[in-house]
Amino acid sequence: MTTRDIDESVTAELDRLRGSIDNIDAAVVHMLAERFKCTQQVGRLKAQHQLPPADPAREARQIARLRELAESAKLDPAFAEKLLNFIIAEVIRHHEQLASDPVAGEEAARDGSEADS
């Protein structure tokens, strides 16, 4: 079956749904950018006070919290945990960068590439 063979109503519904997906993807990107701005501030504060880049206790609490949220939203908790672990790893990397090289960390902040656990 080719695209030409698909009923116009089906094509219209696909376009509508895909438009919604595109809008949601844009919202996710903007929310992550806001989150990353906050974690950049966390990283600077940690660096200023010689605090460790990682906080395993907070990370564990966040993972448990996100798994509960995922379950209540009917989203696979394992997927939500994988996503948060990816974000946490990136946050820690940036916090380590800030701790060892504050100038490089500031450049990362201007690029908007942060996330906190």
Side-chain angles (χ1 to χ4, degrees), residues 22-115:
D22 293 350
N23 290 337
I24 293 165
D25 288 347
V28 168
V29 167
H30 287 284
M31 292 300 296
L32 284 172
E34 284 301 310
R35 187 183 196 284
F36 296 167
K37 288 175 188 174
C38 292
T39 62
Q40 183 64 27
Q41 294 174 27
V42 169
R44 282 195 297 274
L45 189 60
K46 285 180 173 184
Q48 290 168 356
H49 296 278
Q50 293 82 44
L51 297 170
D55 185 343
R58 171 152 169 82
E59 293 159 19
R61 287 191 308 272
Q62 286 296 91
I63 289 168
R65 180 177 158 273
L66 196 68
R67 286 184 68 91
E68 287 179 18
L69 287 171
E71 285 178 17
S72 68
K74 306 287 190 250
L75 180 70
D76 180 5
F79 169 78
E81 183 174 345
K82 286 177 191 176
L83 177 61
L84 187 59
N85 280 327
F86 177 77
I87 292 169
I88 289 170
E90 190 67 7
V91 168
I92 292 169
R93 186 179 72 79
H94 289 137
H95 288 186
E96 289 169 346
Q97 192 175 37
L98 267 173
S100 66
D101 185 1
V103 174
E106 290 299 320
E107 290 171 1
R110 283 192 294 278
D111 293 341
S113 55
E114 265 308 301

